[in-house]
Every structure is written in structure tokens, then in C-alpha cells.
Amino acid sequence: MVPRHIKEEAHYYLEKVKSESSNGMSSNEFLDNLMYLNQSSIKQNKEVFSYLMNKLLDERTYYIGYSRYILMKYANVYGGIIEYELIPNPKALSKALNFVLVCLSSRPHSKLFDFGIRALNRFHNSLKNRGEFFENVAAIPHFGKFPSHLIASIAEYRECTTERVKEEVTNSQQSPVICTPTTTLDPDTRSVDQVKCDFEKLDRTENGKNRIRSIINNLYVNKIREKSDEIKAIMGEELVQWFAAYLVEHRIQFEFNLHSLYLDLLDQIGNEQLNVLIMEKTTENIRSLLDNNTHNNKALLKNLGHWLGLITLAKNKPLPFDKGYLKSIIVEASGVEELMYTVPFVAKVLVSCAKSQAFAPKSPWTLSILKTLADVHKLPNIKLNLMFEVEVLCKSLNIHLERL
């Protein structure tokens, strides 16, 4: 498992190069950083480099979803890692070249085609000995529509390769094995047609995501049943995981006032796998926010706490934590500043006890946590907003704070 600090540093670089703002990182700056990390003698830098390379190579099928501006930056990066021989092994290089070939085979002037041209333009001079790759490129039906300098260079490389093969044959008196345009670059890589099919599928997937986003943007109470049917039809199995992440990370944790609407939507959709993923993503985000206390996280934690209560306690389901978790994050808080995050979060979770039978306000489990909150309320010099959170909670649960 990759350590968290390695991921964080790697994601810093990735977010910078993906940025379209003036504070972003150019593709050449990103490549300079990659080369520095690769050449470094420091173990952590090497690990960051490896993680970055894996991300760049593993996530290439998602490139189609990027804006053209970002896609062209990535094309320069992709061509650069081939040019500078940063790809760790021959098999990975063959897969990278096959990906470029797929892009070049796409419709001329499409986003993927332009990606392929930009990447090829970056590395073609450094691969003069990869005759089989250039044979495949030259066999693309619309090769004649490539930029003239690339057509000329590839013709030259093919000619040099042919001459070299002839010379080797003459010297060895053996028949040459010449790679034909239909030969795959690596026995383990998918064919061009297969990868094209994957991109068509990805294109449909992106279209589905956009349609779901549009539905959520125009969601109303009286349209829940109709819209839930539309989402089910679009989502299928392919988009369940994406939809769970989208709903939690882009809507629920920001839109407190729409929680009931989203809850009704999920009930209407009635997809158990989706509900499980929603719970997992909610829990994951809560833990992450609690581990990284920043000012912006306070509101997100309160929103996710409220949502968590709705999908668990209000439905008589236990929280996805240990039984004593809520008490522990209050008791173990290191000072008032940490309480500023944990107390409002816990309070928002417990609000849903008002709708619960299993976790009713006067149930032993709930009362135990309320007493802990009451102890916080009695602390000397406690901040007024924390006192207010506890008081509002007790009032909503019809509990007398002074009796706790």
C-alpha cells in the first residue's frame, strides 16, 4: 500500500499540471520535476516518481474526459515520458506506444487524434529504432492527413529500418522478420480495435455522467420518481461507483438543505450496491476530514454528519463505526480547536435520533454520548458556538441539558 504522504505529494503535482489557472504547472515543468524525482537518491522522491508514473499510465483511458487544454498538456507530458525514457520497462513502453497508436487512429482533428499527434511530435525523434511502431503508424488509413513533417520523418525512419533489416539479412543469410501493420506492439496489449471499442464505451460513459449531472441539477420533489427511473436507466452497472462518489463528494457534503431530496432519490432508485457505496464514500470522507482539520472542513463535516445520521440512525441502522467512536473523538480531542470539528459533527449525527426508535434520544447509547457533550458544555472558557451546538441538539431531541 502506498503511504499517504507519497500520495499527497504526487497528487500535488498532478493537480498543478491539471490546473488551467496561472498558478498551474506547465507540462515542461512537470516533466522537469519527474526527471528530478527519478534521478534523486532520496527514497521518498523515488516513491513519488513511481506513483506518478503509475497514475499517468493507468489513468490514460480517462484522458478523454479532460478539457482540450488539459488534454494537450497531458499529451506533451505523455510524449515527454517516452522521449526521456522515463517509462520503467519495455512492456509498459509498448503499452504506452499502443495507446498513442490508438489515439492516432481516431477521427482526424478529434481530441484523441490531436492528443496522439502532440505526443508523437514530442517523441518521434527519440524512437528511430522502433521501426515496427512507425510501420503501424504509416498503416493508419488517414496517415496522409498527419502534419507533413511527421509524415516525412516517419518515411525516413521506415526507410532506415528497411535498409538496416536488409543489411542484417545479408550478413546473417537469414530471412528477416518484418512487423506488419497488423502486428500488435506487445503480446499482452489489447488490439487497436479493442482499445477503440473501450474508448467508444468511455465516450458513452461520459455522456451518461453528463446526463445524470443534468438530472441532479434539475431535481425537484415532485419529479423524484420520474428522475429516479431516468437515472436507473442511464446508470446501469457501469456508473454505480461513479454516481456514489459524485453524489457524496460533489452534492451531499456541500448541499445540506437538499439532503432529504437526495435521500428520497436513493430510496426511489432502490439500488443496494449504490447504497453500500454511498455509505462507504460517506465514511471515507468523514475520516479524511477528521484527519485533516482545516477551516473549510468544519462545514463539510457537519453536512456529512447530518447525512450519516439520516442514512443510519433515522433508519434504525447502526453507524459504520465502533460503538464508542463518537464518544472517543470527543474525549480524545486534543484541545478546544479539535473540539471545534468533532462536537458539531457528532451533534449533527445525533439530530437523527429524533426520528429513530432503536437509537431514540433516551436510549442508553444516545444518552451516553449526550452526557459527554454536556461535559464539554460545562468546560471553563468553552467557545460559545460549541455551547450553542450542544444546546440546539438537546432542544431538537427534547432533552434537558441541565439534567444530563
Side-chain angles (χ1 to χ4, degrees), residues 252-313:
I252 289 167
Q253 71 176 4
F254 293 103
E255 299 173 338
F256 173 86
N257 59 321
L258 296 179
H259 282 183
S260 295
L261 189 65
Y262 295 142
L263 191 64
D264 289 345
L265 177 67
L266 291 174
D267 287 342
Q268 286 293 330
I269 291 174
N271 186 310
E272 188 58 34
Q273 182 190 3
L274 175 62
N275 291 336
V276 169
L277 290 170
I278 289 280
M279 180 71 78
E280 290 177 355
K281 185 57 66 174
T282 300
T283 307
E284 177 187 322
N285 282 24
I286 286 170
R287 290 189 185 278
S288 177
L289 290 170
L290 285 171
D291 288 341
N292 297 279
N293 293 339
T294 66
H295 178 72
N296 292 335
N297 288 358
K298 291 180 183 179
L300 300 184
L301 269 171
K302 289 174 69 173
N303 290 349
L304 286 175
H306 180 259
W307 172 255
L308 181 64
L310 286 177
I311 61 176
T312 55
L313 304 180

Side-chain angles (χ1 to χ4, degrees), residues 72-262:
M72 291 305 101
K73 286 179 76 173
Y74 261 72
N76 204 43
V77 169
Y78 207 82
I81 63 177
I82 297 174
E83 177 189 12
Y84 296 138
E85 300 180 350
L86 296 176
I87 297 180
N89 59 64
K91 183 176 179 179
L93 176 59
S94 289
K95 289 184 177 182
L97 290 173
N98 203 43
F99 175 71
V100 174
L101 189 62
V102 169
C103 293
L104 293 170
S105 301
S106 300
R107 178 174 51 82
H109 308 303
S110 64
K111 284 169 67 174
L112 283 178
F113 176 80
D114 290 346
F115 177 98
I117 291 294
R118 177 71 65 92
L120 179 63
N121 191 59
R122 176 86 198 216
F123 70 74
H124 71 96
N125 282 326
S126 64
L127 283 184
K128 295 180 180 179
N129 295 327
R130 299 286 297 212
E132 76 280 9
F133 171 74
F134 293 114
E135 288 290 340
N136 280 280
V137 172
I140 293 173
H142 49 261
F143 176 63
K145 295 184 179 180
F146 281 29
S148 57
H149 71 283
L150 288 178
I151 294 175
S153 294
I154 290 170
E156 181 183 341
Y157 302 152
R158 293 174 68 205
E159 184 177 342
C160 291
T161 301
T162 302
E163 290 299 321
R164 188 174 66 252
V165 170
K166 286 180 180 178
E167 185 178 338
E168 290 173 358
V169 171
T170 301
N171 293 337
S172 64
Q173 297 298 309
Q174 294 179 357
S175 299
V177 178
I178 301 176
C179 179
T180 65
T182 56
T183 303
T184 56
L185 299 176
D186 184 272
D188 294 326
T189 57
R190 295 165 294 168
S191 69
V192 171
D193 287 341
Q194 285 175 315
V195 182
K196 273 186 178 177
C197 182
D198 285 349
F199 272 107
E200 289 172 1
K201 180 180 177 182
L202 183 62
D203 212 7
R204 291 195 300 272
T205 299
E206 286 301 317
N207 183 50
K209 290 178 182 178
N210 289 334
R211 289 171 64 193
I212 289 175
R213 290 188 188 102
S214 178
I215 291 170
I216 297 297
N217 286 337
N218 297 281
L219 193 62
Y220 301 99
V221 174
N222 59 350
K223 295 280 188 178
I224 287 289
R225 183 180 295 275
E226 175 189 336
K227 297 303 179 183
S228 66
D229 289 340
E230 289 182 31
I231 289 175
K232 282 192 285 187
I234 298 167
M235 184 172 63
E237 294 183 1
E238 294 177 354
L239 293 179
V240 173
Q241 191 162 358
W242 169 83
F243 184 50
Y246 169 74
L247 206 56
V248 173
E249 295 179 347
H250 295 275
R251 313 301 297 223
I252 289 167
Q253 71 176 4
F254 293 103
E255 299 173 338
F256 173 86
N257 59 321
L258 296 179
H259 282 183
S260 295
L261 189 65
Y262 295 142

